[in-house]
Amino acid sequence: AVVSTQSTGFWADPGAQACFDRRREYQLLDSAKYFLDRVPAVEAADYKPSEQDIVRTRVKTTSVIEENFRLPNVNLRIIDVGGQRAERRKWIQCFSDVTSVLFLASLSEYDMKLAEMKSRNRTEESLQLFKTTVGYPWFRQSSLILFLNKRALFEEKVPRTNLADFF
């Protein structure tokens, strides 16, 4: 209870809120506000994660992860590759017999920089990577799907952070 009170007090502090408002200047997870708003619930002795808690939890992909699913009349093989620059060299081993590429890019990162290269805009990096991916010869016969996620965060940011200032 003491930790919860301290955590809740910290999050209510104007200084903490001012730091949060400047979150684009440092690497803060998108789900930080969600969990900081829920500190009392998360710290409760009887806490059980909700479906929303689980969905908002992020685990950084630092390798190639393969999942296989058997559906009626189809076997589905999904390969998740890390998007960070250091992870991209591992992708080449996954490029044979690809029928579809699902490329995920965040709408809400237009005002943020890469962790690996502080001078590089995340949205510009994503667009360049998508352009490069589309051009790979391995994918000439593949379906390419661009999925722009984090729309709610984007809609929350745009009124406060002018898109034209960053991208």
Side-chain angles (χ1 to χ4, degrees):
V2 172
V3 173
S4 181
T5 303
Q6 290 172 346
S7 298
T8 304
F10 160 77
W11 184 229
D13 183 83
Q17 291 297 311
C19 286
F20 180 77
D21 287 344
R22 296 177 58 185
R23 64 191 171 276
R24 73 171 183 272
E25 298 173 28
Y26 50 92
Q27 305 297 320
L28 186 66
L29 293 177
D30 290 332
S31 59
K33 181 180 183 332
Y34 173 82
F35 285 108
L36 287 166
D37 285 345
R38 292 186 37 78
V39 164
V42 171
E43 290 185 340
D46 62 344
Y47 168 72
K48 294 210 182 339
S50 68
E51 187 174 302
Q52 197 59 228
D53 292 346
I54 293 166
V55 168
R56 290 179 181 255
T57 301
R58 182 182 189 281
V59 177
K60 184 177 176 181
T61 303
T62 58
S63 62
V64 175
I65 299 170
E66 183 175 332
E67 295 288 341
N68 292 288
F69 300 92
R70 289 185 176 268
L71 305 171
N73 303 320
V74 68
N75 290 328
L76 186 60
R77 181 173 151 225
I78 297 177
I79 301 171
D80 181 9
V81 295
Q84 293 78 22
R85 287 180 166 208
E87 300 303 317
R88 295 177 193 166
R89 59 185 161 73
K90 301 174 187 174
W91 294 3
I92 194 76
Q93 64 188 342
C94 306
F95 288 172
S96 64
D97 300 321
V98 172
T99 56
S100 298
V101 173
L102 178 59
F103 189 96
L104 282 90
S106 172
L107 284 169
S108 67
E109 294 182 345
Y110 67 88
D111 63 343
M112 299 173 76
K113 303 291 184 184
L114 295 178
E116 309 95 317
M117 183 187 284
K118 304 281 188 260
S119 63
R120 181 77 166 154
N121 179 283
R122 287 187 184 189
T123 300
E124 289 174 350
E125 179 79 359
S126 291
L127 289 172
Q128 181 59 48
L129 182 56
F130 181 71
K131 183 178 178 181
T132 300
T133 302
V134 167
Y136 284 141
W138 304 283
F139 302 139
R140 284 199 179 112
Q141 301 300 314
S142 304
S143 300
L144 294 157
I145 304 156
L146 175 60
F147 185 84
L148 301 172
N149 65 353
K150 302 186 182 179
R151 178 180 164 188
L153 292 170
F154 174 77
E155 289 174 347
E156 178 186 312
K157 267 187 178 183
V158 168
R160 293 188 332 264
T161 311
N162 188 353
L163 185 64
D165 290 344
F166 299 95
F167 180 73

